[in-house]
Amino acid sequence: MSHKSPLAHTLSPFDDARATPRGRARVLSGIQPTGELHIGNWLGAVRTWVAQIEADVEDTLFCIVDAHAITVPYEPADLQARIEGFALDLVACGLDPEKTTLFVQSDVREHTELAWYLASVTPYGDLGRMTQFKEKGEGKDFVSTALFTYPVLMSADILLYKATVVPVGDDQVQHLELARETARRFAHRFGPVFPEPQPRLSSAPRIMGIDGDGKMSKSKGNAISLFEDKDAFWNKLRGAFTDPQRLKKSDPGRPEVCNIYTMHKALTPSDKHAEIRDNCTGAKWGCVDCKKLLFESFERELVPLRTKREALSAGKLREALGDGASKARKIAAETMREVRDVMGLGSRAAGL
Ligand code: AQP
């Protein structure tokens, strides 16, 4: 039995291994503490992060991007609870703070400082074209300026650490392309400070929502939470959208358009894939049979994560986040000295 690696590919090869003192490429990614961590986040991004940490050939930094979460309406007390909940989730998934730098974005103030400076080289028109801005802003009474400038902050998150690799789901590839252009524009105007970051996609870069209407999203109510209890998880999976043309069990299914098969490919041992396809296209299994097998695959992976999450101590985790932030701050402070210098900012006398 062979399990497929959660890593699929880096969209284009990166050759900038100069970014870290030890000559290792630097990997950075983040997650918004909005809603609850779902199986799309996990299959599309978090499992890839864990594989990278375990491979230990690159320097890795992962952050809970709370400043991104305030781009849509929110409650401060909820946000605090979610930051802690996400930190527990991520550590339970395998982001071991002993092996990686795990921190909360707003604990490193340089993210928002750099975002303002990068805004000066980011064309207004590019931001208006961002799909996420259009989707999240559409039909809303209040659309914040922060939602519009969200991709500039994301560029700052990445460039601040001179990251060369950014593992993301495919919904974030457009933002990453903007970060690459921002690095180029900045270089053109002020000199080559930032390497161009490359996206790294997982083997499941787009998991669809259980309603079949677009990608699974924390904010759309179409997700299955990773740490949902077993019965609730199964009930949601059982009702999940499959091939729209398969109305009865006797209709042959099309695995290539089915979200359940996409998840099987990412999670179920590869020696079962041919059998799943055969039973689906030959109408031998109903969708519920196929979902039962997928549920077993999820349970195999998630039971140990649930157990680990219950055993984690919130106090220790807060300490680890503090350590992570101070490691991140050191890198950030160095980059900002360089940035202020080439941009002609600051009084020098302040010694920052
Ligand atoms: N459906 C998905 N399939 C695969 N990957 C996904 N990701 C998100 N949804 C899917 C990837 O998960 C990482 C963290 O995402 P995020 O929290 O930073 O923001 P997001 O992409 O906006 O995620 P959501 O769930 O849709 O959150 P809301 O609803 O709050 O906006 C990213 O690498 C993302 O690509």
Side-chain angles (χ1 to χ4, degrees):
M1 265 206 301
S2 70
H3 284 266
K4 198 167 177 187
S5 160
L7 297 182
H9 56 285
T10 301
L11 279 186
S12 39
F14 63 92
D15 55 13
D16 195 331
R18 294 161 299 160
T20 72
R22 286 182 288 163
R24 300 185 353 146
R26 183 169 283 145
V27 174
L28 177 130
S29 203
I31 188 155
Q32 294 189 78
T34 43
E36 287 177 5
L37 184 70
H38 57 69
I39 57 176
N41 298 135
W42 184 62
L43 292 173
V46 177
R47 276 202 329 156
T48 319
W49 303 351
V50 175
Q52 278 147 190
I53 295 168
E54 292 306 325
D56 192 24
V57 290
E58 296 154 325
D59 275 0
T60 56
L61 295 113
F62 297 103
C63 58
I64 297 171
V65 290
D66 54 345
H68 283 277
I70 66 167
T71 56
V72 290
Y74 77 103
E75 280 306 318
D78 286 351
L79 181 57
Q80 229 351 266
R82 287 195 194 286
I83 291 170
E84 191 163 297
F86 266 75
L88 289 167
D89 291 349
L90 293 175
V91 176
C93 286
L95 268 80
D96 180 350
E98 303 271 319
K99 298 184 184 165
T100 187
T101 304
L102 177 66
F103 65 102
V104 179
Q105 180 191 30
S106 65
D107 285 341
V108 183
R109 310 284 194 266
E110 284 84 350
H111 287 249
T112 39
E113 181 187 358
L114 182 58
W116 181 251
Y117 301 162
L118 294 182
S120 72
V121 294
T122 308
Y124 175 88
D126 282 11
L127 297 181
R129 281 192 283 279
M130 294 291 130
T131 311
Q132 184 176 284
F133 172 68
K134 289 187 199 155
E135 282 176 2
K136 287 198 172 170
E138 202 178 18
K140 298 280 167 10
D141 292 338
F142 172 74
V143 178
S144 72
T145 305
L147 186 65
F148 185 67
T149 56
Y150 177 116
V152 185
L153 180 58
M154 182 165 152
S155 299
D157 299 335
I158 299 162
L159 301 183
L160 186 58
Y161 301 98
K162 302 192 179 183
T164 49
V165 183
V166 184
V168 283
D170 81 350
D171 61 318
Q172 293 296 338
V173 169
Q174 190 186 31
H175 288 163
L176 203 53
E177 186 49 45
L178 185 80
R180 289 160 55 74
E181 267 172 37
T182 303
R184 285 198 285 274
R185 285 194 182 107
F186 192 93
H188 184 68
R189 176 78 181 83
F190 302 111
V193 172
F194 305 114
E196 283 183 32
Q198 305 288 339
R200 179 178 287 165
L201 293 185
S202 79
S203 56
R206 170 167 290 249
I207 299 298
M208 300 296 284
I210 54 174
D211 55 1
D213 186 19
K215 75 152 196 141
M216 186 174 286
S217 264
K218 303 185 213 90
S219 54
K220 282 197 196 152
N222 65 359
I224 303 180
S225 302
L226 195 62
F227 291 100
E228 194 120 35
D229 85 60
K230 193 177 164 182
D231 292 342
F233 193 110
W234 167 243
N235 284 333
K236 286 191 182 171
L237 187 62
R238 190 175 52 191
F241 188 83
T242 56
D243 174 358
Q245 283 182 19
R246 196 166 187 208
L247 303 175
K248 307 185 291 299
K249 186 175 172 181
S250 54
D251 293 334
R254 298 172 300 163
E256 63 285 356
V257 300
C258 180
N259 200 29
I260 301 300
Y261 187 64
T262 304
M263 292 191 267
H264 270 305
K265 280 197 294 181
L267 205 59
T268 302
S270 52
D271 59 357
K272 293 253 182 230
H273 296 178
E275 183 191 345
I276 298 166
R277 285 186 69 88
D278 184 49
N279 281 306
C280 173
T281 53
K284 290 177 244 173
W285 282 356
C287 292
V288 173
D289 302 314
C290 192
K291 289 170 178 174
K292 276 187 190 151
L293 187 67
L294 182 63
F295 182 63
E296 281 171 25
S297 300
F298 269 113
E299 280 293 287
R300 204 169 27 246
E301 301 247 1
L302 297 185
V303 168
L305 305 192
R306 285 190 203 118
T307 311
K308 191 168 165 196
R309 197 186 187 287
E310 274 160 27
L312 288 171
S313 131
K316 280 213 178 110
L317 185 72
R318 274 193 285 271
E319 258 174 54
L321 290 176
D323 293 347
S326 46
K327 278 201 252 166
R329 250 183 252 125
K330 278 200 192 101
I331 308 172
E334 242 174 69
T335 307
M336 290 314 295
R337 261 193 293 277
E338 223 180 313
V339 168
R340 289 187 208 104
D341 190 40
V342 297
M343 292 186 76
L345 291 161
S347 68
R348 305 292 189 280
L352 288 168

